[in-house]
Amino acid sequence: MTMMTTVFRNKQIQRMTSCRAQKKCAVIIHIRGLVQCVGFRPYIYRLAIKHHISGGVNNTGYGVQIHAMGARKHINGFISEIPLFAPPVAEIFDMTVVEANGYKATGFHFLNSSDNTADITEVSPDIAVCPDCLNDMETPGHRMQYPLINCTNCGPRYSIIKRLPYDRHQTTMEEFSMCDRCADEYKDILNRRFHAQPIACNHCGPQYSLYSSDGDLVKTENIPLQTAQLIDNGLVIAIKGTGGFHLVCDAMNNDCIQRLRLRKQREGKPFAVMFPSVDILGMFAHVTHSEKKQLCSWKRPIVLLQSKNNLPCTVNAHLSMLGALLPYMPFHYLLFKYLRTKAIILTSGNLSGEPVIINLKDALGKLGNVFDFLVDYNRNIYNRTDDSVVQVIDKDIQIIRRSKGFVPKPIRMTMDVDGIFAAGGELKNCFCLGIKKMAIMSQHIGDLKNMETYSFFKESVRLAKKLFHFEPATIATDMHPDYLTTQWSESQGVNIIYIQHHHAHIASCLAEHKIKENESVIGLAYDGTGYGTDGHIWGSEIMLCNMKDFQRLGHFEYMPMPGGDKSITEPWRMALGCLYHVFGKNIPGIVFEKLQTVSQNSLETVLSALDKNINITQTCGIGRLFDAVGSLLGLCHYARFEAEGPMKLEAILCHKTKSYYDTDIDKNNTILVGPIIEKIVEDLNRKSRLDVIAARFHNTIIEITARFLGEIIDPGYPKHIVLSGGAFQNRYLLSGMKRKLKTMHMQVLTNHQVPVNDGGIALGQLAVAAAKRDQSCA
């Protein structure tokens, strides 16, 4: 059988030439990509009718399969149009056409779904409500004001699916029988809800209920109206969202926000704020075209924006950035219809550090002392997801938390990763499944040191294995011996490949950008913590590496970290460690003026420990250096949330300042930190402005990194340079580093599909493990 390959809209289609030689023919079309849960089969049905095609379409374990019979010109026209007018959320990865001799059919039908295959399909993420459904919600009829309205183009997907293929009885909509009107729409090929699996209305679908904090049902005819009145009156409301509960209050009410912080045990970490529209949002934050695109996308992430600082300071802890999002559920739009306030706090429905809550029982049991009233609906959430968080840097998206809207969309790999499970890191955990040449990242799990979150990790692994018919043959995990992911991996009874943390960071970016596994790059992995091959804490790694291996070219100087991990939550310890390293016992008095909120007893205890080298860890992490400088400037001695000091340091810096501190590189290719600390102290003695010192410090990291690269790079070195690691969430640092390296004619790559922080390292672990496995099999 002769095959022909053509490229059409960047999708590769294999089409048989034999079909062109016959007046009539029959083919089977296999389509892989995001083609389930997005109205793709109804679209194919309508397209088949348009082109006079007989046959049928069904979901399979790998995607969608079409049997098509008709005149040659109709078949070819049908195939050509499939990628052209597909539903907005659909993505076709490849389409293969094979001859089907002897196949005959009358009419075009929906065929029974099948999962009898070792391949796997893409599962649609949850999709924000579409404009057509919002219009239907305001139109008299059986969906008038229905707060769970959806169609083939929008609504819940991943959060409700239990098994593949995606059919109603395989979701949490199974218990809701369609009324006659919904059933008629479901069968009508001209209807937008044709074969929409979560189809529902006021008569047959899930319903909302309002409860007091004691769990008593509150009778009301208009729950969105009642909820809006409660919020406007300064109360805290728990509202069930797509992937879990949210805690909601008036973002203009300082007292209410303070109450929410106290009850939720979230002292300082910034809250996300939901606005009814981009126009209203523009009153509170600067919004670029690229940021507006992310805000309005069907993914509806939280987008970090430059704040105009006219919300209560309790919202974002005096930081320069505001996490903003737009409504994405029908209930959100109904709520804003009645609200007087222009903005609401929308934060995860959990106690700080724990997973988001997904059911009424747990919400009442764990959050009953946090909220005043609770809004629930009676459709179960099967896969919990937080809101995703992104920011735009130099017009490119950077994902900070990858969850709702992005998950479980796979990342296409250039290598075979089949059968590999990557456990991810202990902080910001996400794990990853390798299936054929696809990497399927989990939703954001969180900090596994929390017992509830660790249980969520194990539950999510079980559900993912069930959903994707996956059993690992190999587990890739961090080489840190004390990580819970390492201990869990070692308990699974399968082959384990240990991956160095910062190598995984760089490899995650290599995998994203389809860099060949043998191709080397220079990698800058800048973060706070990662276990090094020398037993110390790494985090300022300049590497020569490919997928299989790495060579450490250089790093910043090791600094003492008094009390180990305690220095992360008490950055003054890191500041004192750096000062002791530079000045010994002769620390300048100006420093103690900045540390005056730290007790004298604590200072003396840590200085004694430094002097005797008791409980002192060595670290070269950039994150810890940012902590130290933030404390030296008096910005943060006790961190109320992760990276508070570095975030405040970035927030205050003077963008007009171009100067930096001179430092040196020793003969061991170590960038010296001591001179930087010494010059910062000199600036403090001179009463230099804190915003200028902050800018000089940032500029120093950029300049000394570039100088290091300029001194070691020779014509034989690769020109690709990869920037990854949590420190590159700093917009000023990433943008400045990219500009500087481009002036050196380097081709700069960074993460866009997975987080640059530890939420992305599972992808890197997967890629490194696959490369090492290929190497061992060679």
Side-chain angles (χ1 to χ4, degrees):
M1 178 168 56
T2 306
M3 305 291 287
M4 181 180 70
T5 300
T6 62
V7 176
F8 192 76
R9 274 203 168 189
N10 297 321
K11 312 298 179 187
Q12 196 171 56
I13 302 173
Q14 292 182 323
R15 186 180 302 163
M16 294 193 318
T17 56
S18 59
C19 197
R20 293 178 175 238
Q22 302 172 8
K23 291 184 179 180
K24 284 208 169 198
C25 61
V27 297
I28 298 175
I29 306 166
H30 302 282
I31 300 177
R32 291 193 302 149
L34 182 50
V35 289
Q36 288 193 27
C37 327
V38 293
F40 196 82
R41 286 184 301 161
Y43 161 69
I44 291 297
Y45 192 112
R46 290 189 291 270
L47 199 63
I49 299 303
K50 172 186 174 182
H51 286 278
H52 311 289
I53 301 297
S54 298
V57 59
N58 64 298
N59 284 335
T60 69
Y62 61 79
V64 163
Q65 178 176 266
I66 305 165
H67 286 79
M69 184 186 80
R72 169 183 50 81
K73 64 177 182 178
H74 293 155
I75 289 285
N76 287 336
F78 173 65
I79 292 171
S80 295
E81 279 197 23
I82 287 174
L84 289 177
F85 307 109
V89 180
E91 292 183 7
I92 298 174
F93 175 63
D94 65 35
M95 200 162 83
T96 304
V97 183
V98 296
E99 188 176 9
N101 290 325
Y103 176 78
K104 293 184 179 180
T106 303
F108 199 85
H109 308 279
F110 277 83
L111 306 175
N112 290 331
S113 297
S114 168
D115 65 351
N116 295 324
T117 176
D119 291 321
I120 199 70
T121 185
E122 294 190 33
V123 178
S124 170
D126 299 300
I127 308 166
V129 61
C130 69
D132 289 332
C133 279
L134 291 176
N135 183 62
D136 289 349
M137 197 166 62
E138 297 300 320
T139 304
H142 60 305
R143 291 193 183 86
M144 179 77 172
Q145 303 291 293
Y146 182 53
L148 288 163
I149 192 170
N150 65 84
C151 70
T152 56
N153 296 322
C154 71
R157 298 295 190 268
Y158 175 64
S159 61
I160 64 171
I161 192 167
K162 297 179 181 179
R163 295 173 295 277
L164 291 172
Y166 173 66
D167 291 304
R168 190 181 180 95
H169 70 277
Q170 307 257 55
T171 74
T172 59
M173 284 297 294
E174 180 181 13
E175 62 187 271
F176 299 97
S177 299
M178 291 182 228
C179 65
D180 290 342
R181 292 186 70 179
C182 284
D184 288 343
E185 292 171 322
Y186 184 84
K187 298 171 187 174
D188 181 2
I189 64 169
L190 299 179
N191 194 287
R192 201 174 76 253
R193 295 182 176 87
F194 180 55
H195 273 242
Q197 302 307 328
I199 188 173
C201 72
N202 280 308
H203 306 307
C204 65
Q207 299 294 322
Y208 275 85
S209 300
L210 179 66
Y211 295 89
S212 71
S213 58
D214 294 326
D216 297 327
L217 186 65
V218 179
K219 292 185 178 180
T220 179
E221 293 185 0
N222 190 330
I223 292 177
L225 172 61
Q226 182 73 39
T227 304
Q229 291 172 345
L230 293 169
I231 292 170
D232 282 329
N233 287 332
L235 299 181
V236 175
I237 315 298
I239 301 177
K240 190 174 183 179
T242 300
F245 275 91
H246 291 108
L247 292 167
V248 177
C249 72
D250 182 358
M252 311 298 289
N253 188 325
N254 187 66
D255 291 340
C256 187
I257 297 168
Q258 290 280 40
R259 231 173 24 251
L260 174 57
R261 286 200 177 280
L262 184 64
R263 294 175 182 180
K264 184 176 160 67
Q265 302 166 27
R266 181 168 168 150
E267 185 181 355
K269 190 176 181 181
F271 282 135
V273 182
M274 178 177 278
F275 298 88
S277 66
V278 174
D279 288 341
I280 298 296
L281 168 55
M283 298 166 58
F284 298 91
H286 301 279
V287 185
T288 67
H289 175 76
S290 299
E291 289 165 341
K292 181 179 177 180
K293 183 178 178 181
Q294 294 302 324
L295 284 162
C296 298
S297 75
W298 59 265
K299 297 179 177 70
R300 281 299 197 280
I302 297 168
V303 182
L304 299 187
L305 305 170
Q306 191 70 41
S307 175
K308 292 183 177 179
N309 298 316
N310 51 3
L311 284 169
C313 62
T314 48
V315 171
N316 65 340
H318 299 280
L319 295 173
S320 59
M321 305 302 292
L322 174 68
L325 73 164
L326 297 179
Y328 56 83
M329 294 183 73
F331 188 88
H332 297 153
Y333 285 91
L334 292 172
L335 191 60
F336 275 110
K337 180 180 178 181
Y338 300 114
L339 279 168
R340 294 195 307 269
T341 185
K342 292 182 172 66
I344 56 175
I345 298 294
L346 194 88
T347 187
S348 298
N350 58 355
L351 295 177
S352 290
E354 295 189 1
V356 62
I357 290 170
I358 61 174
N359 62 64
L360 177 62
K361 180 181 177 183
D362 286 346
L364 291 170
K366 293 188 175 185
L367 299 178
N369 293 326
V370 179
F371 62 79
D372 298 300
F373 288 88
L374 178 146
V375 178
D376 185 38
Y377 58 80
N378 60 336
R379 183 186 69 216
N380 290 330
I381 295 171
Y382 195 74
N383 298 297
R384 77 180 85 198
T385 55
D386 288 278
D387 291 304
S388 294
V389 182
V390 308
Q391 61 180 342
V392 176
I393 303 176
D394 300 331
K395 298 184 179 181
D396 292 323
I397 185 175
Q398 183 188 80
I399 300 173
I400 294 172
R401 183 169 73 196
R402 190 177 189 269
S403 206
K404 180 187 67 63
F406 292 89
V407 171
K409 181 183 176 181
I411 294 159
R412 305 288 173 181
M413 305 290 283
T414 57
M415 57 179 67
D416 181 7
V417 294
D418 198 48
I420 301 175
F421 176 93
E426 189 169 76
L427 297 174
K428 297 184 179 68
N429 180 265
C430 293
F431 59 83
C432 188
L433 312 182
I435 300 176
K436 302 298 182 183
K437 289 188 174 182
M438 292 194 302
I440 300 177
M441 294 285 289
S442 78
Q443 69 272 51
H444 169 77
I445 304 294
D447 182 358
L448 300 189
K449 289 181 180 179
N450 178 281
M451 184 178 67
E452 295 288 338
T453 305
Y454 186 47
S455 296
F456 173 36
F457 165 79
K458 291 185 285 188
E459 171 203 9
S460 298
V461 171
R462 179 181 61 81
L463 293 178
K465 288 166 65 175
K466 176 183 174 184
L467 178 61
F468 294 107
H469 309 286
F470 179 84
E471 280 298 329
T474 299
I475 293 179
T477 193
D478 196 281
M479 65 186 292
H480 197 305
D482 295 332
Y483 272 7
L484 286 170
T485 46
T486 306
Q487 295 168 18
W488 177 87
S489 299
E490 291 172 347
S491 72
Q492 299 304 299
V494 299
N495 178 52
I496 295 178
I497 298 177
Y498 297 93
I499 314 294
Q500 201 281 322
H501 185 91
H502 300 97
H503 186 201
H505 268 306
I506 302 303
S508 72
C509 194
L510 297 179
E512 268 196 40
H513 290 275
K514 309 290 187 293
I515 303 297
K516 295 177 181 178
E517 62 183 271
N518 290 318
E519 184 177 342
S520 293
V521 300
I522 295 172
L524 303 183
Y526 285 5
D527 64 2
T529 300
Y531 190 76
T533 54
D534 59 1
H536 292 320
I537 303 302
W538 290 7
S540 54
E541 305 316 302
I542 304 173
M543 299 174 160
L544 177 65
C545 64
N546 55 30
M547 289 291 197
K548 295 176 184 175
D549 211 346
F550 71 92
Q551 176 189 347
R552 195 183 194 197
L553 299 177
H555 56 88
F556 280 66
E557 185 179 4
Y558 282 110
M559 289 283 131
M561 189 175 173
D565 286 350
K566 201 169 185 180
S567 289
I568 299 173
T569 55
E570 298 182 10
W572 66 266
R573 292 171 173 268
M574 199 64 228
L576 207 56
C578 290
L579 291 165
Y580 184 87
H581 178 81
V582 176
F583 299 104
K585 295 180 180 180
N586 301 313
I587 297 174
I590 184 66
V591 172
F592 292 106
E593 291 179 21
K594 294 295 181 182
L595 295 174
Q596 59 184 320
T597 57
V598 181
S599 73
Q600 186 65 30
N601 182 60
S602 295
L603 292 171
E604 290 175 357
T605 300
V606 169
L607 283 171
S608 176
L610 284 162
D611 199 42
K612 298 172 182 177
N613 197 28
I614 297 173
N615 196 21
I616 305 298
T617 302
Q618 294 296 316
T619 178
C620 66
I622 285 286
R624 300 292 76 81
L625 183 55
F626 270 79
D627 283 341
V629 175
S631 179
L632 282 175
L633 271 57
L635 301 176
C636 179
H637 300 316
Y638 296 92
R640 298 169 297 175
F641 55 90
E642 185 190 5
E644 181 180 6
M647 289 168 71
K648 287 185 173 180
L649 197 62
E650 180 189 6
I652 70 161
L653 68 82
C654 175
H655 288 257
K656 294 180 181 179
T657 300
K658 304 303 178 186
S659 56
Y660 56 90
Y661 301 118
D662 285 324
T663 189
D664 296 311
I665 303 165
D666 72 11
K667 62 183 180 181
N668 296 317
N669 286 338
T670 299
I671 297 171
L672 300 182
V673 170
I676 301 173
I677 299 298
E678 192 172 356
K679 289 178 174 63
I680 288 174
V681 172
E682 289 175 5
D683 265 354
L684 290 173
N685 270 315
R686 282 193 291 262
K687 308 295 183 185
S688 298
R689 283 168 31 199
L690 297 186
D691 61 337
V692 172
I693 298 174
R696 286 173 177 164
F697 171 68
H698 278 79
N699 294 339
T700 300
I701 302 299
I702 295 167
E703 292 294 331
I704 193 59
T705 300
R707 179 181 150 196
F708 182 98
L709 293 171
E711 290 183 6
I712 67 161
I713 290 176
D714 60 38
Y717 269 66
K719 288 298 181 184
H720 275 122
I721 187 159
V722 171
L723 311 181
S724 192
F728 287 116
Q729 291 173 149
N730 183 311
R731 299 160 71 93
Y732 186 90
L733 183 66
L734 177 61
S735 187
M737 192 75 79
K738 285 167 63 178
R739 283 196 306 271
K740 186 69 178 180
L741 295 175
K742 285 178 181 178
T743 65
M744 299 168 64
H745 308 293
M746 303 292 291
Q747 298 173 32
V748 182
L749 304 175
T750 190
N751 297 91
H752 302 300
Q753 294 186 58
V754 298
V756 73
N757 59 44
D758 283 5
I761 65 167
L763 178 63
Q765 290 173 344
L766 187 84
V768 174
K772 288 180 178 290
R773 183 179 65 178
D774 291 348
Q775 185 180 39
S776 65
C777 294

